[in-house]
Amino acid sequence: MADYAIFASDDFDANEYANAVLAGEQYDAVRVLSSAKLIAPEPSAKEDISIAISKLTFGVDDVSKQIKTLVTNHHQDLLSQAASANELSGSLTSVRAGLTDLDNSLEKLRVKVRVPYQSLQANVSRLHKLHQASEVLRRTSRFVTLTRRLQVQMGDMDKAQIEDDRSNALNGHTLVPSDGSDSKRWEQDEDARERTIAKAALSIAELGSLIDDDIPDSELSENSPRISLRSVNVVAAHIPYIEQAREIVTTEMRNMVLSGLTSLNQSLLASSLQTAYNLRILPDQVQSLIIDLSTAIEDQIRMTFDLSQISKDAAAKESLNSPSSTLYKSRVRTEPTNLTAPQWTTALWSRLENMIEQMSSCCIKVYTLEKVLKLKKDTVTQSVFLDEAMKVLENKPSATFWTSLARALEKHAWDAAKSSTFLQQTLTNGYPRLLRLFHEFFAKIAVHTDTTYIHSYQSPETVLILRALVNFESLYLTRSSSKLNESVGQAFSGGSRTPPGMNEGINTARTVANELDSARFDPLLVRAVAKNATSTLDMILSRSEGLVSRDRSALTLVGPTATPQQIINGSLATFLYHVWSRLSQLGEEHNEAVYSIIKPNVENIRAAYERIIDDLTTAIRRELGSIIAKIHRFDFGRSADPMAGMGGASLYMKDLVERLAFLKAEILSKFSIGDEKKTRVMDLVKFVIKTFVLHVSIVKPLGETGKLQLTSDMTELEFGLSAFLVESPQEKRGGNLESTGADYKMLPGLPPLIVLHHILVRSPIPLAHSLHGWQESEYVRWVDEHTEEESWTLIDGVLSHWEKIRDSDGGSSDGMEYVDLARKVLAEASERERI
């Protein structure tokens, strides 16, 4: 069958096939048989037509034979199907009859339904038209009623206006009559006129809704078109009058709003806002007012920093000062000269003061408007006017005003300053004065607004405005920081050769205090200056630490003069002390929030100079202690001292007095630290007295000659310490040792530990340091580092130890009276301590 597949295709065209055979070309049947994947026979180009015809004839004969064979083989099935077709014709006849009956029934049903439906549809359409006509008549009737009411209200407004004009003319063109009764009547007339305007606005708004076909969708059906009243001739005739009335009422409302804001009359402002609400333009009106006020203040700010206007003001003032001047007037300058700079500066500050006045006025108006909006409600709907205005506004009127004010101030001020060196320098150097103007602004509006700007609290609005001046503040802080750093640089300009001293410390501290004092009126500025001061104080510390010497030469006390390192350390300590002394007083001059910023740095400066003094004080105490400890090299039990001579001081005492004189003249004189020096000197005197008494109390053996020698040494020590306490060489009298307190009283009086030492020295009982194998200086250091109770406990242990040794050796009674006496002293001392 593959040979005849090309003829069985639906797309087979006999004419094309014949044309292909006659032309000797191949018949294109690939697209036809592509789905069967068969290849049609391709007639050769050289094959003649007779052969092609013979093939076709043979093919027709072959197909005929196959059909006959197929019919012969299936004749039974074909006969049965023919019989079935005859039976089917009868069934189709009955079905055709049923369909005919169905068509007749449908036609009868269509006649019964369609005619009533068409009638009902016509009636419904007529009813809809009647409803539309009724609605138009109702709205027209309402329109006529409102129009007549509006005419009456407008007439009342005209009468009230005529009465106002007549009253003003009779009373000398004054707004309020002078007579009390007339004034009250005038106020009543004004209230009545305001109410009339509000009622007229309500009528105009309702008329507008009727004319503009403002009908809720719930009152209209889907197929009911809206009919505008403008197409009604009676209504159209009154539309010009209504529009004219709207313009008059709107103008009156705007005049009332402006008058209420100008005079801050909240009652008048409330009436005008009620009129705007009745006209259904309240949100747009409030937005327009805020935009107008913001635009006005922005224009004022731009004009304030306009160099051409400043130049004109300066030239006008100069011409007033010299009216007869005929000098040549040059063109308008954008920068002042050295001669005209004062006039320009005066003109600038005058314009800034005027700007602050305008800012105060606009801000008070905005807050008055917001207050009325917040309090005022519609008497019918009870809607708060502020909520109605917020439908259009993005934020509250006050917040919108503050934002626009800060943006305009930052933009115009800084743009003008960037293009003018004069403005930049004037506003930077006079930034505190500029801040004071804004303080006046905050003070003026505080009565009418909820803004606060004090040291303890600053409202967000005030901070927002001051942040608009942050560029000038940064320049001012940079200049202040440069001034502080310059003072530090001048103080350390000499380096280690001429380190900073008292004068440099006073000048540096005064510079810091002056900068803080210049900014103390503003809580934010003074904190910023204080933060700048911390970096300056850190610089002082770092540069001081770099110059401080901590090697052995800075602590040696060999003499005869102070080492260069000691001179440098003394000068640095003096410098740091005077810086700390002045800055520590700032806590009384400024509040805690400001002083807490620099307090850690001030304490670090104190710790720095105390570290220098403490290291030197430790070295001095060690040196003086070692000299006093030489007392134990002298035998005070002998009859005479061949080295000191009769009545003279011992060599160690002479060395001690000389060392004290050296310390006073060469070391301590380099430290000009005021009362701190007195305290340090007094501490050294107390240390010397206490150390000397402790060493003297453990001298053993001690004879009568030794006692006399000690008396001479004590006298020498008293004179030496008195001279050490003298503050200046001009004083002839020595210092008063009684000011040292209990330490000086050790000389004429004896504390319990000293009494115990004297008892043990006279007895066979060994001293505490001998029992423990300590040196005398080690024992004195131990007593200095421990409390008296611990020292008494140590002595009591010595007594107990000696008693045990005595009992083990046979119980000799020698020295028992000293033990009893010592325990009595311990008991009395303990009892006195408990009391």
Side-chain angles (χ1 to χ4, degrees), residues 92-115:
L92 290 174
T93 302
S94 62
V95 170
R96 186 179 295 107
L99 291 174
T100 302
D101 294 339
L102 180 61
D103 290 338
N104 295 331
S105 298
L106 288 175
E107 184 63 25
K108 292 178 182 180
L109 183 62
R110 184 180 295 109
V111 171
K112 291 181 180 180
V113 173
R114 184 176 183 180
V115 173

Tab-separated table of all heavy atoms in Angstrom, residues 92-115:
chain	number	residue	atom	x	y	z
A	92	LEU	N	-35.795	7.784	12.843
A	92	LEU	CA	-35.536	9.198	12.580
A	92	LEU	C	-36.823	9.933	12.263
A	92	LEU	O	-36.995	11.111	12.592
A	92	LEU	CB	-34.564	9.338	11.411
A	92	LEU	CG	-33.111	8.908	11.689
A	92	LEU	CD1	-32.287	8.969	10.410
A	92	LEU	CD2	-32.498	9.793	12.765
A	93	THR	N	-37.769	9.281	11.685
A	93	THR	CA	-39.053	9.910	11.368
A	93	THR	C	-39.804	10.278	12.634
A	93	THR	O	-40.345	11.382	12.773
A	93	THR	CB	-39.902	8.961	10.502
A	93	THR	OG1	-39.184	8.629	9.302
A	93	THR	CG2	-41.235	9.611	10.150
A	94	SER	N	-39.809	9.345	13.633
A	94	SER	CA	-40.483	9.634	14.920
A	94	SER	C	-39.783	10.776	15.675
A	94	SER	O	-40.422	11.620	16.303
A	94	SER	CB	-40.535	8.371	15.786
A	94	SER	OG	-39.221	7.935	16.088
A	95	VAL	N	-38.469	10.816	15.591
A	95	VAL	CA	-37.716	11.897	16.271
A	95	VAL	C	-38.021	13.239	15.631
A	95	VAL	O	-38.201	14.257	16.306
A	95	VAL	CB	-36.209	11.603	16.234
A	95	VAL	CG1	-35.420	12.822	16.698
A	95	VAL	CG2	-35.867	10.406	17.096
A	96	ARG	N	-38.152	13.217	14.288
A	96	ARG	CA	-38.449	14.467	13.595
A	96	ARG	C	-39.810	14.999	13.991
A	96	ARG	O	-40.025	16.203	14.163
A	96	ARG	CB	-38.380	14.228	12.073
A	96	ARG	CG	-38.539	15.520	11.260
A	96	ARG	CD	-38.437	15.262	9.760
A	96	ARG	NE	-37.105	14.799	9.395
A	96	ARG	CZ	-36.829	13.554	9.060
A	96	ARG	NH1	-37.790	12.616	9.027
A	96	ARG	NH2	-35.601	13.192	8.746
A	97	ALA	N	-40.745	14.104	14.214
A	97	ALA	CA	-42.084	14.522	14.657
A	97	ALA	C	-42.040	15.113	16.062
A	97	ALA	O	-42.681	16.123	16.374
A	97	ALA	CB	-43.044	13.322	14.592
A	98	GLY	N	-41.256	14.489	16.931
A	98	GLY	CA	-41.139	15.037	18.305
A	98	GLY	C	-40.508	16.421	18.320
A	98	GLY	O	-40.922	17.302	19.090
A	99	LEU	N	-39.523	16.641	17.489
A	99	LEU	CA	-38.882	17.957	17.433
A	99	LEU	C	-39.838	19.016	16.930
A	99	LEU	O	-39.836	20.167	17.374
A	99	LEU	CB	-37.642	17.903	16.530
A	99	LEU	CG	-36.458	17.079	17.076
A	99	LEU	CD1	-35.355	16.992	16.024
A	99	LEU	CD2	-35.913	17.716	18.353
A	100	THR	N	-40.716	18.610	16.005
A	100	THR	CA	-41.702	19.559	15.482
A	100	THR	C	-42.664	19.981	16.584
A	100	THR	O	-42.994	21.175	16.726
A	100	THR	CB	-42.455	18.940	14.317
A	100	THR	OG1	-41.529	18.555	13.296
A	100	THR	CG2	-43.471	19.915	13.739
A	101	ASP	N	-43.110	19.017	17.397
A	101	ASP	CA	-43.998	19.342	18.520
A	101	ASP	C	-43.297	20.271	19.522
A	101	ASP	O	-43.903	21.194	20.093
A	101	ASP	CB	-44.451	18.055	19.220
A	101	ASP	CG	-45.329	17.187	18.312
A	101	ASP	OD1	-45.885	17.755	17.357
A	101	ASP	OD2	-45.399	15.977	18.574
A	102	LEU	N	-41.993	20.020	19.761
A	102	LEU	CA	-41.232	20.866	20.713
A	102	LEU	C	-41.125	22.299	20.210
A	102	LEU	O	-41.271	23.255	20.981
A	102	LEU	CB	-39.835	20.285	20.940
A	102	LEU	CG	-38.926	21.041	21.895
A	102	LEU	CD1	-39.551	21.086	23.302
A	102	LEU	CD2	-37.541	20.396	21.961
A	103	ASP	N	-40.922	22.470	18.927
A	103	ASP	CA	-40.845	23.824	18.378
A	103	ASP	C	-42.176	24.547	18.537
A	103	ASP	O	-42.221	25.747	18.867
A	103	ASP	CB	-40.474	23.766	16.897
A	103	ASP	CG	-39.042	23.311	16.689
A	103	ASP	OD1	-38.247	23.449	17.656
A	103	ASP	OD2	-38.702	22.839	15.596
A	104	ASN	N	-43.280	23.833	18.374
A	104	ASN	CA	-44.581	24.462	18.543
A	104	ASN	C	-44.813	24.897	19.989
A	104	ASN	O	-45.349	25.976	20.259
A	104	ASN	CB	-45.676	23.489	18.095
A	104	ASN	CG	-45.607	23.178	16.590
A	104	ASN	OD1	-45.147	24.033	15.816
A	104	ASN	ND2	-46.052	22.001	16.186
A	105	SER	N	-44.351	24.048	20.951
A	105	SER	CA	-44.524	24.396	22.375
A	105	SER	C	-43.690	25.624	22.752
A	105	SER	O	-44.130	26.507	23.517
A	105	SER	CB	-44.129	23.192	23.240
A	105	SER	OG	-44.949	22.090	22.971
A	106	LEU	N	-42.464	25.690	22.236
A	106	LEU	CA	-41.603	26.840	22.529
A	106	LEU	C	-42.199	28.128	21.988
A	106	LEU	O	-42.105	29.192	22.600
A	106	LEU	CB	-40.202	26.615	21.942
A	106	LEU	CG	-39.331	25.575	22.661
A	106	LEU	CD1	-38.022	25.364	21.893
A	106	LEU	CD2	-39.012	26.027	24.080
A	107	GLU	N	-42.800	28.063	20.834
A	107	GLU	CA	-43.388	29.255	20.251
A	107	GLU	C	-44.554	29.743	21.090
A	107	GLU	O	-44.719	30.960	21.325
A	107	GLU	CB	-43.861	28.949	18.819
A	107	GLU	CG	-44.402	30.146	18.069
A	107	GLU	CD	-43.358	31.214	17.854
A	107	GLU	OE1	-42.129	30.871	17.832
A	107	GLU	OE2	-43.694	32.414	17.754
A	108	LYS	N	-45.386	28.807	21.603
A	108	LYS	CA	-46.504	29.186	22.475
A	108	LYS	C	-45.980	29.818	23.780
A	108	LYS	O	-46.513	30.821	24.268
A	108	LYS	CB	-47.360	27.966	22.787
A	108	LYS	CG	-48.104	27.426	21.574
A	108	LYS	CD	-48.901	26.166	21.962
A	108	LYS	CE	-49.632	25.581	20.732
A	108	LYS	NZ	-50.403	24.370	21.087
A	109	LEU	N	-44.907	29.214	24.359
A	109	LEU	CA	-44.333	29.747	25.611
A	109	LEU	C	-43.732	31.129	25.403
A	109	LEU	O	-43.832	32.012	26.258
A	109	LEU	CB	-43.272	28.778	26.138
A	109	LEU	CG	-42.625	29.140	27.470
A	109	LEU	CD1	-43.684	29.166	28.585
A	109	LEU	CD2	-41.535	28.131	27.827
A	110	ARG	N	-43.113	31.347	24.255
A	110	ARG	CA	-42.517	32.656	23.957
A	110	ARG	C	-43.596	33.725	23.888
A	110	ARG	O	-43.421	34.853	24.336
A	110	ARG	CB	-41.753	32.586	22.644
A	110	ARG	CG	-41.006	33.877	22.298
A	110	ARG	CD	-40.259	33.763	20.985
A	110	ARG	NE	-39.197	32.776	21.052
A	110	ARG	CZ	-39.225	31.604	20.441
A	110	ARG	NH1	-40.270	31.262	19.697
A	110	ARG	NH2	-38.236	30.747	20.545
A	111	VAL	N	-44.733	33.352	23.329
A	111	VAL	CA	-45.848	34.308	23.240
A	111	VAL	C	-46.367	34.653	24.622
A	111	VAL	O	-46.678	35.819	24.932
A	111	VAL	CB	-46.969	33.729	22.341
A	111	VAL	CG1	-48.226	34.606	22.407
A	111	VAL	CG2	-46.487	33.600	20.911
A	112	LYS	N	-46.413	33.697	25.539
A	112	LYS	CA	-46.922	33.925	26.902
A	112	LYS	C	-45.960	34.756	27.767
A	112	LYS	O	-46.378	35.473	28.658
A	112	LYS	CB	-47.188	32.593	27.578
A	112	LYS	CG	-48.358	31.835	26.968
A	112	LYS	CD	-48.581	30.514	27.711
A	112	LYS	CE	-49.758	29.735	27.096
A	112	LYS	NZ	-49.993	28.452	27.803
A	113	VAL	N	-44.603	34.678	27.552
A	113	VAL	CA	-43.606	35.350	28.413
A	113	VAL	C	-43.147	36.668	27.817
A	113	VAL	O	-43.000	37.684	28.501
A	113	VAL	CB	-42.407	34.415	28.667
A	113	VAL	CG1	-41.313	35.154	29.412
A	113	VAL	CG2	-42.857	33.182	29.418
A	114	ARG	N	-42.860	36.708	26.579
A	114	ARG	CA	-42.221	37.860	25.962
A	114	ARG	C	-43.110	39.092	25.997
A	114	ARG	O	-42.659	40.196	26.305
A	114	ARG	CB	-41.846	37.525	24.530
A	114	ARG	CG	-41.074	38.643	23.834
A	114	ARG	CD	-40.644	38.198	22.462
A	114	ARG	NE	-39.856	39.210	21.811
A	114	ARG	CZ	-39.336	39.091	20.575
A	114	ARG	NH1	-39.532	37.969	19.892
A	114	ARG	NH2	-38.626	40.073	20.057
A	115	VAL	N	-44.343	38.938	25.714
A	115	VAL	CA	-45.244	40.091	25.660
A	115	VAL	C	-45.372	40.749	27.038
A	115	VAL	O	-45.224	41.977	27.177
A	115	VAL	CB	-46.617	39.680	25.097
A	115	VAL	CG1	-47.606	40.836	25.193
A	115	VAL	CG2	-46.486	39.213	23.653
